[in-house]
Amino acid sequence: MRNWARAALARLDAHDEAALVTVLATEGSAPREAGTKMVVWRGGQSGTIGGGNLEYRVADQARRMLDGGQAHFAIQDYPLGPLLAQCCGGRVRMFLERLNDNSRDWLTEAARRMDAAQPFEVRTRFDPGLLTKSIAPILATEDGASVTLSGAPATARGVRPELGDVMVERADAPRPPLLLFGAGHVGQAIAQAFAPLPFRLFWYDSRPETADIPGVTVLPPDEIVAKARSASPDAYGLVLTHDHAQDYALVSAGLAGGGFSYFGVIGSKTKRARFISRLRDGGFSEAVLTRMTCPIGLPQLKSKAPEVIAVSVAADLLMRHEAARIRNDEI
C-alpha cells in the first residue's frame, strides 16, 4: 500500500475504528512478503495482503476484533494449504491491532515519513493491556529482517511476543525519484499509474492551465529544464511535454547533467533519429546518447492509447528498478 498510515488516519477522521493488519513473517510460498500492511474497517479495507481466502479470513478476524471491543491486538498463524485451501502451500503469521484516536500521533509521524520517503522503524512494545507505539528514524540502511522481535527476525511459527518484548518493523524500501515532464493526456495517465508504485513522483509542466491538475508543479520552461539538468543519478526521467522544442531542451539538459539512471522520451523512431542527429551536432558522445530511451515503454505494446502507454511504461520501469535492486544486493 502506498501510505497505509494515511489510509488509517482517513478512517479515524471519518470517526471509524480500524484495524491495521501486518504480515509479520512467512515460510515457504506466500502471497505477500513480511512487512506488508492492510487497513480494515467495518465497511471496507485499503491495501491487500495477497487476496484469496487468506485475505478474506484475516479481514473477517479484524472486523470481529473491532466488534468485540476487548482485544487490542491478535497474532494469528495461517497455514495456507491445509487451513485455507490455497495452493501456495506456505505459512503466514499475521499481526492485527486496533487503531483509535490514541493512535493518531504515531500514525501521523509514519505518514509524514512515508510522504517524504524517509526510512523509519515502527517500534511496538508489548506492555500489560496495551501496545506502546513509536516511530524512530533508520540511521543506516544495512540489510536486515523487515520485522524483528526483541532483536531476532520474526518467524512464521514458534516464539510469540511476551510482555516487555519490542517488535521493530523496518520501512526503508528505497523509492527512487521519477521526474515526469508534461501533464497532457499521457502524462496524466502515467501519473495515475505510478501513484501506488515505489517511486517518488515529481511532476512538472510549463502551462498555467495545468495548475489545477493535482500533483502538477507549474514552472517556467527554463526552471523545468534546470530540474532535468540537476537530476540525481538514481532518478528516472520521462519527457512528454506538449512541445518538441521543450522536449529537446529537456533531453539536452538531462544528458548534459549526467543524472538519471533511466531517461525516456515519448515519440517515434523518427523523432529519436532527429534528436540523436541534433545532439551529435551539439557535441554529445555516442556513449551519452545511449542513455536516452525513445520510444518509451515495452516494444511489444503498440497501442497509442494513454492508458496503455502508462501501463507499458510502468511495467518497463518496474523491471528496471527490480534489476537495479538485484544488482545492488549482489555488490
Side-chain angles (χ1 to χ4, degrees), residues 226-248:
K227 295 291 185 183
R229 185 178 293 110
S230 61
S232 60
D234 66 329
Y236 292 69
L238 288 168
V239 176
L240 31 91
T241 77
H242 63 290
D243 180 9
H244 278 209
Q246 189 172 8
D247 282 357
Y248 181 80

Side-chain angles (χ1 to χ4, degrees), residues 3-319:
N3 193 321
W4 50 265
R6 289 234 174 271
L9 287 167
R11 301 320 309 168
L12 298 182
D13 289 342
H15 306 290
D16 200 359
E17 270 198 327
L20 181 63
V21 175
T22 302
V23 179
L24 282 189
T26 65
E27 182 181 283
S29 298
R32 295 296 300 271
E33 63 277 2
T36 301
K37 292 184 181 291
M38 175 175 73
V39 178
V40 178
W41 59 97
R42 291 179 177 88
Q45 69 182 60
S46 180
T48 177
I49 55 170
N53 203 18
L54 171 66
E55 184 166 297
Y56 174 81
R57 291 283 191 94
V58 174
D60 180 65
Q61 182 178 355
R63 293 187 180 102
R64 284 190 280 111
M65 185 173 70
L66 293 175
D67 290 336
Q70 298 296 323
H72 293 279
F73 71 92
I75 294 176
Q76 182 67 52
D77 295 339
Y78 291 91
L80 299 180
L83 179 64
L84 300 180
Q86 290 195 203
C87 59
C88 300
R91 186 181 183 90
V92 179
R93 175 166 285 183
M94 295 289 180
F95 178 55
L96 299 81
E97 56 186 307
R98 295 176 68 119
L99 303 174
N100 51 40
D101 284 336
N102 294 329
S103 310
R104 283 186 177 276
D105 287 347
W106 73 268
L107 286 172
T108 299
E109 180 62 12
R112 184 190 71 79
R113 290 182 179 274
M114 277 188 277
D115 286 340
Q118 296 174 342
F120 66 96
E121 295 176 342
V122 181
R123 295 177 174 268
T124 303
R125 182 181 175 89
F126 293 85
D127 290 326
L130 58 86
L131 299 173
T132 302
K133 309 281 293 192
S134 62
I135 302 296
I138 296 177
L139 301 180
T141 57
E142 69 276 1
D143 291 338
S146 57
V147 184
T148 60
L149 182 61
S150 294
T155 63
R157 65 178 76 218
V159 177
R160 289 168 172 254
E162 298 179 353
L163 291 180
D165 283 347
V166 176
M167 184 173 69
V168 178
E169 304 168 62
R170 295 170 60 96
D172 62 343
R175 289 199 299 144
L178 170 62
L179 278 64
L180 176 59
F181 302 102
H185 294 303
V186 175
Q188 292 178 49
I190 288 176
Q192 184 175 1
F194 274 87
L197 301 182
F199 297 84
R200 288 178 288 144
L201 180 64
F202 299 88
W203 192 9
Y204 305 104
D205 200 291
S206 61
R207 295 169 293 173
E209 60 268 27
T210 63
D212 293 333
I213 301 173
V216 175
T217 298
V218 176
L219 295 173
D222 58 336
E223 293 187 25
I224 295 179
V225 168
K227 295 291 185 183
R229 185 178 293 110
S230 61
S232 60
D234 66 329
Y236 292 69
L238 288 168
V239 176
L240 31 91
T241 77
H242 63 290
D243 180 9
H244 278 209
Q246 189 172 8
D247 282 357
Y248 181 80
L250 286 163
V251 170
S252 180
L255 294 177
F260 294 114
S261 63
Y262 167 89
F263 195 38
V265 186
I266 196 169
S268 63
K269 293 180 180 179
T270 301
K271 180 178 178 179
R272 172 187 169 80
R274 289 176 177 171
F275 273 30
I276 290 292
S277 177
R278 289 184 62 187
L279 291 164
R280 283 198 187 106
D281 292 342
F284 286 92
S285 68
E286 295 301 318
V288 171
L289 295 179
T290 61
R291 294 176 45 229
M292 182 186 78
T293 298
C294 180
I296 57 176
L298 300 176
Q300 299 90 337
L301 295 177
K302 306 295 185 182
S303 173
K304 296 181 181 179
E307 297 79 7
V308 177
I309 294 173
V311 170
S312 177
V313 170
D316 185 22
L317 266 60
L318 280 171
M319 288 189 292

